[in-house]
């Protein structure tokens, strides 16, 4: 089983379809048992959708704060 930090790192590639079958299976296995990372997946999808729609704009402060908190949380583990 991969760690939360690994799962979140893979999440972006996963959303972009850049992972191979083994990596996708590892991410999905983790997401199936980890509620926290399920939340991260939703957040990543949200953020990715926002970035796709607003490529030239700054992140809203609340999204930026949440992204920063997420990344800092991962560093602590
Ligand atoms: Zn997790």
């Amino acid at each position: 089983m991969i760690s939360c930090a690994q799962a979140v790192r893979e999440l972006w590639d996963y959303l972009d379809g850049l992972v191979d079958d083994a990596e996708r299976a590892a991410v999905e296995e983790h997401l199936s048992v980890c509620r926290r990372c399920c939340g991260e997946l939703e957040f990543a999808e949200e953020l990715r959708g926002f970035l796709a729609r607003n490529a030239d704009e700054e992140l809203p402060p609340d999204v930026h704060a949440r992204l920063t908190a997420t990344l800092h949380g991962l560093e602590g583990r």
Side-chain angles (χ1 to χ4, degrees), residues 49-69:
F50 175 86
L51 292 173
R53 289 190 305 273
N54 306 281
D56 298 330
E57 290 180 33
E58 300 258 320
L59 287 176
D62 59 326
V63 174
H64 188 266
R66 194 171 159 192
L67 180 62
T68 304

Side-chain angles (χ1 to χ4, degrees), residues 2 10 13-14 18-29:
I2 58 175
E10 298 278 350
D13 287 345
Y14 175 80
L18 300 175
V19 291
D20 63 28
D21 286 350
E23 286 167 331
R24 187 170 60 239
V27 171
E28 284 174 354
E29 184 193 19

Side-chain angles (χ1 to χ4, degrees), residues 2 5 8 15 17 21 25 36-38 40 44 46 53 64 68-70:
I2 58 175
V8 171
L15 288 173
D21 286 350
R36 187 181 181 283
C37 287
C38 273
E40 299 299 338
E46 238 172 73
R53 289 190 305 273
H64 188 266
T68 304
T70 298

